[in-house]
Amino acid sequence: MKRIASLAAAPGVLEAYWPNRSTLHRMSLDYMRDLLDYLGNPQDKVRVIHVAGTSGKTSTAYYIAALLTAGGKKTGLTVSPHVDLLNERVQINMVPLPENAFVRALNEFMARVEEGGFTPTYFELLYAFAFWEFARQKVDYAVIEVGVGGLLDNTNVISRSDKVCVLTDIGFDHMSVLGYTLPEIAAQKAGIIQLHNAVFCWRQGKDVMDMFTAAVRQQQADLHILDKPQLGADCDFLPLFQRRNFELALHAAKFVLQRDGDRLPARQAMVLAAHTLVPARMEVRSIQGKTVILDGSHNPQKLHALVESIQGQFPGQPVAVLVGFAKSKTPENRIGAGTHELLQLAAHLIITSFVINRNEPHYSIDPQAMATACDAERYTAYEIIKEPAVAFQALIKRPEPVVVVAGSFYLLNTIRPLLAVD
């Protein structure tokens, strides 16, 4: 096994685990379960809050972890994808494991996996590592964000009846994997519900709720549906869509703490938890005197929520947008509907492209496809700048006081190293 020397070197070493033709055929969780069984089933040694959904799951996971930490609990958090560095995938009390500790633990873990004769994929490896480290750290709770879907996601290996499931808003994403209708997608997300779990969600459309309630009945679970926002005025600083995510997180965290006989955090601590920075989710920076917003919204539902929140937080202010979407097996929904959402906000639109090499390259959609969508809506205030760094500099030089970088996380991974904060 090649040892990892630093966080910066980790992605290169882990490329060997990226899914390939010999591992892509795994359409069950059997391999993941065998690996975890060999490791002593760490996923069942800690109490878990399991978060799935299309929109808001990362933010909701961050907020739950922050609230449990505010309640005095030692809390693990794993998210997918990470935004900047790999150790974001293993956080203790909202802090990624320090580089030395992370690298040392990951090397030890990978050596043990290799001794067992296992060859996990990148995602199996990292989720198993998070479970293993949380058990070693003896966290009180682990907040686990689903990667894709739920039913067949590598996180769906927890068998504890006291697991709490949190289902965020459902929309169209990863359709080639999860299905092309909302009921199909909702059924996949609800696949994380296991026997006797408590389940939290906002009330959504009938197609989605029918799938949720069916899964709850089948697993004899306990469903908690939120109907009306009840956050106080002290949380009005949150963007609109984050208020929804925070309130869902608050209900789940309160339930867990009360169920387990623990005190709820004081109101002041709750509000402090609401200030948690969620990377690349309506993340606001000040750069060269401008308000810069970074957001990984990459489907129409997420973009709609982003546009509403920006308009609510910066009413009447002109906004310029830099965008690039990753290639998808169902790109037409993202391009047409996604572009339409952005055009409700953008006084000027810069369309860019990217190529990310991660074992196999990941490409953006052709910028001309978005230009064609703009033309179809008779929107002319756009330009194509294919090099992301050049596009970002053009964005910063725009006269609009608020500028946004949105779209694929691959684009954000390219742009974030360029940021110089005032």
Side-chain angles (χ1 to χ4, degrees):
M1 182 195 79
K2 184 177 180 181
R3 288 187 63 81
I4 297 171
S6 65
L7 269 176
V13 175
L14 294 181
E15 279 186 356
Y17 295 89
W18 201 254
N20 54 41
R21 289 183 179 180
S22 67
T23 57
L24 279 173
H25 69 281
R26 293 180 191 164
M27 294 302 292
S28 78
L29 294 172
D30 292 344
Y31 196 91
M32 185 68 169
R33 290 194 178 102
D34 288 345
L35 172 60
L36 289 168
D37 187 59
Y38 164 75
L39 295 169
N41 288 308
Q43 78 282 7
D44 287 329
K45 291 183 177 177
V46 298
R47 291 171 288 188
V48 168
I49 298 88
H50 203 180
V51 185
T54 306
S55 298
K57 61 189 175 75
T58 299
S59 297
T60 303
Y62 264 90
Y63 288 140
I64 293 170
L67 286 160
L68 293 175
T69 301
K73 301 290 112 180
K74 185 175 183 180
T75 306
L77 170 65
T78 186
V79 296
S80 180
H82 61 276
V83 176
D84 291 318
L85 295 171
L86 193 65
N87 61 342
E88 293 169 33
R89 292 176 179 264
V90 183
Q91 302 185 39
I92 304 294
N93 290 345
M94 309 305 296
V95 179
L97 281 187
E99 178 171 5
N100 288 342
F102 181 86
V103 169
R104 183 172 59 250
L106 184 54
N107 278 320
E108 181 182 344
F109 174 78
M110 290 171 65
R112 185 168 178 185
V113 168
E114 189 176 66
E115 287 171 4
F118 288 90
T119 55
T121 65
Y122 177 89
F123 299 104
E124 289 168 337
L125 177 79
L126 289 177
Y127 275 125
F129 173 57
F131 287 130
W132 182 76
E133 186 62 20
F134 292 153
R136 288 210 313 170
Q137 294 263 357
K138 296 182 179 178
V139 301
D140 296 309
Y141 299 98
V143 182
I144 308 296
E145 180 191 0
V146 164
V148 175
L151 180 64
L152 296 176
D153 185 73
N154 289 314
T155 62
N156 199 24
V157 287
I158 302 145
S159 60
R160 293 176 61 122
S161 62
D162 64 355
K163 184 179 80 169
V164 172
C165 301
V166 179
L167 300 172
T168 66
D169 293 339
I170 304 302
F172 293 103
D173 207 3
H174 302 292
M175 293 157 61
S176 61
V177 176
L178 304 180
Y180 291 85
T181 68
L182 282 180
E184 288 176 311
I185 295 170
Q188 289 289 320
K189 306 291 186 180
I192 67 169
I193 302 171
Q194 303 296 329
L195 196 64
H196 303 312
N197 291 170
V199 183
F200 287 81
C201 69
W202 281 102
R203 187 176 299 280
Q204 300 178 52
K206 183 177 185 302
D207 285 348
V208 170
M209 295 309 299
D210 283 350
M211 294 298 103
F212 285 1
T213 53
V216 165
R217 282 196 303 270
Q218 183 179 17
Q219 298 294 348
Q220 302 173 53
D222 181 19
L223 181 60
H224 303 255
I225 302 173
L226 282 64
D227 280 299
K228 294 181 179 180
Q230 295 178 339
L231 283 181
D234 47 6
C235 287
D236 283 352
F237 65 89
L238 284 169
L240 295 175
F241 72 94
Q242 291 294 42
R243 294 178 204 174
R244 185 174 176 88
N245 295 329
F246 182 74
E247 187 155 4
L248 181 59
L250 184 59
H251 278 77
K254 281 184 174 180
F255 170 84
V256 166
L257 292 171
Q258 289 177 324
R259 179 198 66 186
D260 297 339
D262 291 307
R263 295 173 58 185
L264 296 177
R267 183 70 188 178
Q268 184 178 4
M270 291 183 188
V271 174
L272 186 62
H275 279 88
T276 297
L277 171 65
V278 185
R281 273 76 175 183
M282 193 69 181
E283 181 182 353
V284 178
R285 304 277 197 100
S286 176
I287 300 174
Q288 297 181 24
K290 287 187 177 296
T291 297
V292 179
I293 299 170
L294 307 169
D295 195 280
S297 295
H298 56 266
N299 66 39
Q301 181 187 30
K302 294 179 180 180
L303 288 165
H304 179 81
L306 174 65
V307 168
E308 276 195 337
S309 291
I310 293 173
Q311 290 173 333
Q313 196 161 342
F314 303 96
Q317 296 193 45
V319 178
V321 177
L322 169 61
V323 65
F325 294 137
K327 271 191 175 179
S328 166
K329 292 182 180 179
T330 54
E332 63 286 343
N333 181 53
R334 183 168 300 177
I335 296 171
T339 302
H340 174 78
E341 295 296 342
L342 285 175
L343 298 189
Q344 312 311 303
L345 174 72
H348 187 84
L349 183 69
I350 300 175
I351 308 167
T352 194
S353 60
F354 54 81
V355 178
I356 300 292
N357 286 302
R358 186 182 286 170
N359 195 271
E360 59 183 52
H362 295 263
Y363 297 96
S364 65
I365 62 170
D366 183 352
Q368 187 56 51
M370 283 196 72
T372 299
C374 290
D375 292 339
E377 300 213 20
R378 298 183 179 180
Y379 180 91
T380 59
Y382 71 84
E383 60 182 311
I384 294 174
I385 304 177
K386 291 189 175 182
E387 171 55 46
V390 178
F392 181 68
Q393 289 305 314
L395 180 74
I396 292 297
K397 292 176 181 177
R398 290 287 312 168
E400 290 82 7
V402 178
V403 299
V404 177
V405 181
S408 170
F409 280 104
Y410 294 125
L411 174 61
L412 288 160
N413 291 156
T414 302
I415 297 297
R416 286 173 69 89
L418 306 176
L419 302 183
V421 182
D422 287 353

